[in-house]
Amino acid sequence: MLQPEMMGSEAEVAFEGALRPKSLAEFVGQQRVRGQLQLLLDAATIQNRTPDHILLAGPPGLGKTTLAMIVAHESGRPLRLSSGPAIQHAGDLAAVLSSLVPGEVLFVDEIHRMARSAEELLYLAMEDFRIDIMVGKGAGATSIPLDLAPFTLVGATTRSGLLPNPLRDRFGFTAHLEFYDTDELVEVLRRAAVLLELAIEQSALIEIARRSRGTPRIANRLLRRVRDYALVHGGDATRAVVRSALELYDVDELGLDRLDRAVMNILLTRFNGGPVGLNTLAVSVGEESETIESVVEPFLVRIGLIIRTPRGRMATAEGWRHLGLQPPAGALPGPTSSTGRADAHPSSTGAEPLFDDEL
């Protein structure tokens, strides 16, 4: 007999599995990437060969792992999952590659964090499907070539710039995943709500989508918190329920959480909108500078609340207004696109490499 908590855990695992689309037709968003992948897979099927190696680049939570699973499913191949941090020696990679069956899809998440020795071993494996194994040491060492079964490598990275050029050039196709718009996130949420058996209004779905930072993973997480709130308080998930639930979890109208608002508050009230160096900002908030730079700052820059300058971080007029403060004279308006939304690419702010804490 299964205990109730074990049954609940199995239900959550089953939900996570059902949440991932099984085909490109079910996958929501990334229309251009889906079309490119479909062509690549169809051509490989017609020619009866393994698909080219694929590199999926983009921020976390946009569906890189799901797309890798779809590649294996649609090509009818088995899938092997691994990650860059788990491959810290060339021998680790050699053991994985030598055990692959013909046509198998090898997915390596965070491939940019793989050891350099393993990366160099991968060059020959990707091109010629063989590796050279060194046997012995010193003058008596010999190299033994080992043929590999043809395979497809699917690499996922959140920082493609950290990949060495020889490795990046060996991928036959590179897909750059972009943030989702509100309509696409609504479709993602509607599908998840059906799986959760949650009755929810259209306006409530839109409210969650607007606060999801353009990321399906965050959208699904917020939906589950709304599900929990509606379950505890009774009733359907209305827009009012969504607002109450997300207010409880410190997620505001733009998707800013507690740490985001803490950074904005420090920047505006203590440093009068900047400029301020990264390390000074991190110490003032009580967080590591890496957390501010990799977790908080990209989203604030993307929606135009702060900008990066050679002298440090500065708040825009939109940043002042979002926190209910009057922007000072001369406050920067913030980068916007032709649609009036904050530009999705932080590099478009004209930022240069920063000199941290020179103030």
Side-chain angles (χ1 to χ4, degrees), residues 49-310:
R49 59 173 176 81
T50 57
D52 290 342
H53 304 301
I54 300 168
L55 178 63
L56 303 174
L62 298 187
K64 296 186 290 294
T65 302
T66 300
L67 284 175
M69 293 180 175
I70 288 175
V71 167
H73 182 267
E74 295 219 341
S75 58
R77 313 282 184 170
L79 176 67
R80 181 82 59 92
L81 299 174
S82 186
S83 65
I87 303 175
Q88 291 303 307
H89 303 281
D92 299 335
L93 181 62
V96 173
L97 294 176
S98 60
S99 63
L100 294 176
V101 300
E104 190 165 359
V105 176
L106 173 61
F107 174 64
V108 180
D109 197 13
E110 296 296 313
I111 193 172
H112 64 273
R113 297 177 60 188
M114 195 164 50
R116 183 54 56 89
S117 59
E119 289 177 350
E120 294 171 353
L121 184 70
L122 201 53
Y123 298 161
L124 195 60
M126 293 175 69
E127 283 194 331
D128 301 329
F129 298 115
R130 72 180 182 89
I131 55 177
D132 293 330
I133 300 177
M134 297 300 298
V135 178
K137 296 182 179 179
T142 58
S143 176
I144 300 178
L146 176 65
D147 291 332
L148 304 174
F151 68 96
T152 297
L153 174 64
V154 180
T157 177
T158 55
R159 306 181 67 181
S160 58
L162 295 183
L163 283 176
N165 287 333
L167 178 58
R168 186 165 53 243
D169 292 343
R170 281 172 168 78
F171 285 97
F173 168 63
T174 299
H176 297 279
L177 276 63
E178 299 178 349
F179 288 99
Y180 285 56
D181 60 30
T182 300
D183 292 339
E184 292 170 337
L185 287 175
V186 168
E187 290 303 315
V188 171
L189 289 167
R190 182 178 290 111
R191 180 175 180 271
V194 171
L195 294 173
L196 285 172
E197 299 180 354
L198 174 65
I200 186 168
E201 298 177 353
Q202 175 73 9
S203 59
L205 292 176
I206 295 174
E207 189 72 23
I208 298 174
R210 287 175 175 171
R211 303 185 187 207
S212 299
R213 304 167 79 124
T215 307
R217 180 183 296 165
I218 295 177
N220 287 325
R221 187 178 70 217
L222 295 181
L223 180 66
R224 281 200 268 188
R225 300 292 73 78
V226 169
R227 184 270 313 266
D228 295 344
Y229 188 94
L231 181 65
V232 171
H233 291 83
D236 295 339
T238 63
R239 188 178 183 185
V241 168
V242 168
R243 288 184 169 181
S244 299
L246 298 187
E247 182 180 354
L248 176 64
Y249 286 101
D250 290 327
V251 179
D252 71 7
E253 293 81 2
L254 291 182
L256 272 63
D257 58 19
R258 179 201 60 79
L259 183 56
D260 297 325
R261 288 194 301 276
V263 169
M264 290 300 301
N265 271 313
I266 289 292
L267 180 60
L268 297 178
T269 59
R270 187 172 299 180
F271 299 104
N272 197 32
V276 60
L278 173 63
N279 290 340
T280 300
L281 193 59
V283 169
S284 301
V285 179
E287 289 284 349
E288 295 292 331
S289 58
E290 291 81 3
T291 302
I292 303 299
E293 186 175 26
S294 61
V295 177
V296 177
E297 186 180 80
F299 180 63
L300 296 180
V301 172
R302 183 165 63 89
I303 63 176
L305 298 188
I306 68 172
I307 63 171
R308 298 171 56 174
T309 74

